[in-house]
Amino acid sequence: NAGVTQTPKFRVLKTGQSMTLLCAQDMNHEYMYWYRQDPGMGLRLIHYSVGEGTTAKGEVPDGYNVSRLKKQNFLLGLESAAPSQTSVYFCASSPGAPSYNEQFFGPGTRLTVL
Amino acid sequence: DQQVKQNSPSLSVQEGRISILNCDYTNSMFDYFLWYKKYPAEGPTFLISISSIKDKNEDGRFTVFLNKSAKHLSLHIVPSQPGDSAVYFCAVLNNNAGNMLTFGGGTRLMVKP
């Protein structure tokens, strides 16, 4: 049981390049989330999904797109990377049951945009 | 405008003493309040939570207090241990929005031996 895994762990991009971050969970969780963490800002929600085939915007969605084609995977895409997207990205998942509120996080992806 | 604030970016405590981490929030409609712990190069891990209908929840050395009238949350760690050194984030949950969590900026706790 690997929990939540993220690929890749590190990446350096040039401005304007595109990339996709992959999140996978093996806990059969309904809900999945993408956050970014910047110094002093805590974690901010980019997009989330409450089930396979669904996505919704979070607090800071601009410049990102997501897809949830399979229940266990949640992809985060950057179509044209900008230096402001330099950050550490965390994926999380949750059972989504009303009485269960904990989110389980992956180890993070450190992205640098030059 | 930040809905969740942790006003102390860092805290240093001697081993064996009490650590108190504070968090303030603005919206009285939040349903759950959580604390996460984060070590460098790792993802956050859940520590303890409290429902909006309670004012205290205890789990071993960790106790969370909720003061709804003051919109204030605190985490007490007693006794503090060097392994507790990490960044602590408070978070609030909105059950009406996909169980979205809103995080504070974090407090770095350093427990000195």
Side-chain angles (χ1 to χ4, degrees):
Chain A
N1 189 338
V4 180
T5 57
Q6 293 182 231
T7 308
K9 288 185 170 52
F10 304 94
R11 186 74 186 266
V12 178
L13 290 178
K14 294 182 179 178
T15 297
Q17 287 184 319
S18 64
M19 78 163 295
T20 300
L21 282 68
L22 171 64
C23 176
Q25 52 96 3
D26 60 3
M27 297 174 282
N28 200 35
H29 285 173
E30 288 294 331
Y31 292 12
M32 296 187 75
Y33 311 83
W34 275 107
Y35 294 89
R36 59 177 288 172
Q37 185 196 4
D38 302 294
M41 302 286 290
L43 285 84
R44 292 181 293 169
L45 184 65
I46 304 171
H47 286 281
Y48 66 100
S49 167
V50 298
E52 182 179 319
T54 75
T55 62
K57 294 181 179 180
E59 181 186 357
V60 288
D62 294 341
Y64 305 95
N65 56 76
V66 288
S67 64
R68 183 102 181 265
L69 298 179
K70 294 182 178 181
K71 185 177 182 178
Q72 64 268 33
N73 295 338
F74 196 28
L75 279 63
L76 178 71
L78 286 74
E79 290 187 349
S80 179
S84 61
Q85 294 177 304
T86 294
S87 187
V88 181
Y89 292 85
F90 289 100
C91 175
S93 70
S94 166
S99 60
Y100 199 93
N101 303 299
E102 177 185 348
Q103 292 182 14
F104 298 80
F105 283 81
T109 295
R110 184 174 294 274
L111 175 66
T112 301
V113 183
L114 303 175
Chain B
D1 187 28
Q2 285 187 295
Q3 296 189 70
V4 184
K5 287 186 178 180
Q6 294 177 253
N7 292 318
S8 298
S10 64
L11 175 67
S12 183
V13 171
Q14 204 67 35
E15 180 179 6
R17 306 295 291 269
I18 184 171
S19 295
I20 300 177
L21 296 94
N22 295 303
C23 178
D24 297 300
Y25 60 94
T26 57
N27 189 337
S28 59
M29 299 302 292
F30 292 128
D31 304 298
Y32 260 85
F33 304 85
L34 303 88
W35 284 95
Y36 278 80
K37 178 179 180 179
K38 185 182 179 306
Y39 292 117
E42 294 183 11
T45 54
F46 171 74
L47 189 58
I48 192 170
S49 66
I50 187 167
S51 163
S52 59
I53 62 173
K54 296 186 176 181
D55 54 19
K56 178 182 175 181
N57 187 28
E58 191 172 353
D59 183 2
R61 296 186 296 113
F62 303 91
T63 303
V64 56
F65 295 93
L66 177 62
N67 183 334
K68 289 184 285 293
S69 61
K71 297 190 181 67
H72 181 80
L73 186 70
S74 64
L75 174 68
H76 292 208
I77 306 174
V78 183
S80 301
Q81 299 174 353
D84 296 330
S85 297
V87 177
Y88 290 79
F89 293 98
C90 68
V92 298
L93 183 138
N94 185 339
N95 271 330
N96 294 324
N99 282 13
M100 286 175 55
L101 286 178
T102 302
F103 286 84
T107 296
R108 181 177 301 277
L109 174 65
M110 293 163 284
V111 181
K112 298 179 179 179

